[in-house]
Amino acid sequence: MDTGADADVVVLPLAAGRLTVPVELRRRDESRQAWRRLARVQVGYRGALPPLTAAESSAFFAEMAALAERADAALAQTPEVSLAQALGLPPPSASRQAVHRQSPPPTLCALPFRALDIDTQGHARPCCLFADPLLDDAGRPFSVREHGLAEIWQSASLAKVRQDLLDGTQIPACARCWQAEAVGAQSRREVYFHRRPELLAVDLSKTVRLEDLSLCPGNLCNLRCRTCSPASSSSVALEWRDLPDTAAQLPIVQRMRQQVLQTQNWLLDNDVMRPSLQALSGQLQRVEFVGGEPSVIDAHFDLLRDWVAMGRAKEIELDYTLNGTRIPEAARALWPAFRRVNVRVSLDAVGARFEYLRHPAKWSVVAQNVLQFREIGKNVHVVVNATLSAYNVLYLHELIAWAQAQALILGLSPVFDPPYFDPAILPDAAKQAVAATLAPLPLTGELRQNVEGLLLALDRQPASAADQELFFAHTHTIDAVRGQSFAQTFPELAAFLDWDDRLKRNARPV
């Protein structure tokens, strides 16, 4: 998009809060699509607000939809006006002072001063997007098998990260945030400030406290999801060890075989971790568990028991990303003791297509478990999330219909790595079919914005014959290993991809 040299920001005064939004002033040829792009890419609404009830969330996104319609209509009539004018807001120049009071400094990030992320191999980072693990004094990655959290938190490596950010340095390891902000998207650091705006009013250098902890307690997992990898699933790791040698030409296989093809379960080595967490538990406000699959890593429940015994549970919010295959009895017993428990269940499709993508899970079991999670306690809040890929995008309408029937919020997380899983690789005819299946659905709020953003992205990105070939090679290889059939499970998509012809040209798996 030709944005010209002018760029500024506006403040959207919504009932649920005020959002600071960077926006190009001149929309030119894409004026009618400007708001939809803004809603999809720039607002960053998930992290911009404190946790909302279902009613508050519905009201917020209804208000966003109304603003979108207003902006779209105004911009259609007068393409050269600013978004602020289109929405009837004061011009950016009049609101600049208010914006700067709410926006973070250009490079400062609160995460290294408040949060820590431990990945499946037990390495530490200030956040999940930070490119490199933190290093000890010998230049080796910290490992929670050998180093306590306090040692990592007080390390020279993390202290340098904090100081660089205070000094205005754009750290290379933070490139994903700088890249997002360069194109007007809301970055992870901005999202965190929006979620915790009180941190803008404090001297972070003098108030360093570990309050947010994200734990990937190993790659132990009972599923072999199609878009997963050995780094996040021990079951995938076992399968990939036995892939035919010819599969090594697949880019993701090459990369993962150089990294991890084994089970990583650092939380089981908790002679270091548990005492370390106990010592810091008085500071924790939020703990996130991702996988692997937390529901099969029973050792993590020992941490919950510690916090209950210490009287800390009512002050801690838990976040989970689960595959929904089981509801541990420990969860039923422990979760009600905590301030809030957010459960995000990963669902990529329904019925047989779900079972193909999240092998060997059973749809009937997982669908029932999703509903039963809500019965554990009033403090337990359940949403579902789809990893959106070339496999399931044509069938997204089926999952949306199911989620709406169950009164469940559905989130979408597009996959970009490896590139041949990206929905944008599909032929143009398939993309048009995606739009046709989604157009009749009664979408509102965040889901509507995500779907509009998806369709816009599919429209903007060209199909890729080369990536379609890699998608076929990967899929055909795994089908042969598992005894599954892509063509039988996704017949409409298979037709768009000329699957039968590809099979004839490749009599054997890659």
Side-chain angles (χ1 to χ4, degrees), residues 126-170:
C127 85
C128 60
L129 300 184
F130 198 81
D132 307 309
L134 295 170
L135 305 179
D136 63 19
D137 292 340
R140 299 170 303 181
F142 277 112
S143 170
V144 292
R145 288 187 174 92
E146 305 170 10
H147 306 91
L149 288 178
E151 181 182 356
I152 299 172
W153 188 245
Q154 297 164 8
S155 67
S157 178
L158 188 50
K160 185 178 187 307
V161 170
R162 296 181 186 125
Q163 191 58 52
D164 284 347
L165 293 173
L166 289 170
D167 292 342
T169 301
Q170 285 198 357

Side-chain angles (χ1 to χ4, degrees), residues 217-377:
N219 67 346
L220 182 65
C221 186
N222 56 338
L223 298 187
R224 293 173 292 189
C225 301
R226 278 291 172 134
T227 55
C228 197
S229 71
S232 297
S233 170
S234 57
S235 295
V236 172
L238 289 172
E239 181 176 71
W240 282 24
R241 284 200 190 105
D242 300 325
L243 287 179
D245 291 339
T246 50
Q249 68 180 278
L250 297 171
I252 191 172
V253 174
Q254 292 177 353
R255 188 169 77 244
M256 286 299 166
R257 280 185 167 171
Q258 294 173 358
Q259 293 180 17
V260 52
L261 279 178
Q262 59 186 350
T263 301
Q264 301 281 347
N265 293 304
W266 55 260
L267 191 57
L268 299 179
D269 306 320
N270 58 14
D271 289 344
V272 173
M273 191 63 182
R274 279 186 71 184
S276 175
L277 272 173
Q278 289 172 349
L280 291 170
S281 63
Q283 303 177 25
L284 293 176
Q285 296 182 9
R286 174 183 168 274
V287 181
E288 178 182 25
F289 292 101
V290 292
E293 171 54 30
S295 72
V296 300
I297 303 178
D298 292 335
H300 96 269
F301 288 113
D302 290 338
L303 305 180
L304 273 58
R305 294 185 183 94
D306 289 343
W307 294 324
V308 171
M310 298 169 69
R312 286 280 300 139
K314 286 297 181 185
E315 301 174 31
I316 295 177
E317 178 175 326
L318 301 178
D319 278 348
Y320 281 91
T321 297
L322 303 175
N323 63 29
T325 55
R326 65 191 298 259
I327 304 178
E329 288 304 314
R332 298 181 188 274
L334 293 168
W335 285 358
F338 285 80
R339 176 165 61 89
R340 180 184 173 102
V341 181
N342 304 306
V343 178
R344 183 183 300 103
V345 183
S346 299
L347 300 180
D348 296 343
V350 299
R353 287 187 260 274
F354 167 84
E355 293 179 355
Y356 177 98
L357 292 174
R358 292 193 169 266
H359 180 76
K362 299 301 179 184
W363 169 249
S364 59
V365 173
V366 173
Q368 185 63 31
N369 284 348
V370 171
L371 304 181
Q372 290 185 0
F373 276 122
R374 296 190 289 195
E375 300 174 4
I376 293 178

